[in-house]
Each structure stands twice: as structure tokens, then as C-alpha cells.
Amino acid sequence: MTRLVYFAWVRERIGTGEEELDIPAEVTDVAGLLVFLQARGDNYAAALAEPEVIRVALDKFHAEHDAPIDGAREIALFPPMTGG
């Protein structure tokens, strides 16, 4: 099981702040994970409609979309951060 954590409007659109998922073996990188999650329902599809803007952290370290997810215990998804 992998813990997925969602922040800001990603969390609001999906409807939960976190969940534990069994990620299929064929999902090997961040980009594949986003495609897998989009197929989980309309709320996921809406949250991840523009996957290129989604930022990801694997075990609390920022990762690019081509990064492998194998072995990650926690994957966080969040929108771009803005200054304030």
C-alpha cells in the first residue's frame, strides 16, 4: 500500500486529503500514476485534468513526472505554489 496525500485544490476536487492505495505494478512513474488516478472517477479526472501543472513529492522530496515511484511510501500531489 502506498499513502497518497492531496493538497489545496487537488484535495478539494478529489474530495479527500489522503488515502492508501495498491498501485498496479504496471504504473512505474509519476506520469503513469497521474493517468491511473484520472481513471478512478470524475473527481480525480477533474483534479488531474491538466497533469502537467501537478507537482509531486515522493517521500517528501520533489520529483519530476518521469521519476520512478517504485518503493515510495508516500506520494503527495499538489498544485503549483505561488508567492504570497
Side-chain angles (χ1 to χ4, degrees):
M1 295 287 260
T2 304
R3 180 175 179 231
L4 280 90
V5 183
Y6 309 111
F7 293 95
W9 56 257
V10 175
R11 176 186 64 234
E12 292 168 8
R13 292 176 186 172
I14 289 176
T16 188
E18 64 182 69
E19 62 186 330
E20 296 271 336
L21 286 179
D22 279 321
I23 298 172
E26 62 269 13
V27 177
T28 60
D29 61 14
V30 170
L33 175 66
L34 296 176
V35 170
F36 166 73
L37 290 173
Q38 285 174 330
R40 293 194 74 220
D42 291 343
N43 52 336
Y44 289 89
L48 306 172
E50 297 181 65
E52 65 278 1
V53 303
I54 300 297
R55 301 294 179 246
V56 178
L58 302 174
D59 294 326
K60 301 189 189 242
F61 290 95
H62 288 275
E64 298 297 326
H65 285 205
D66 61 352
I69 62 170
D70 185 44
R73 298 176 81 177
E74 178 184 274
I75 302 173
L77 281 69
F78 47 94
M81 293 177 265
T82 59

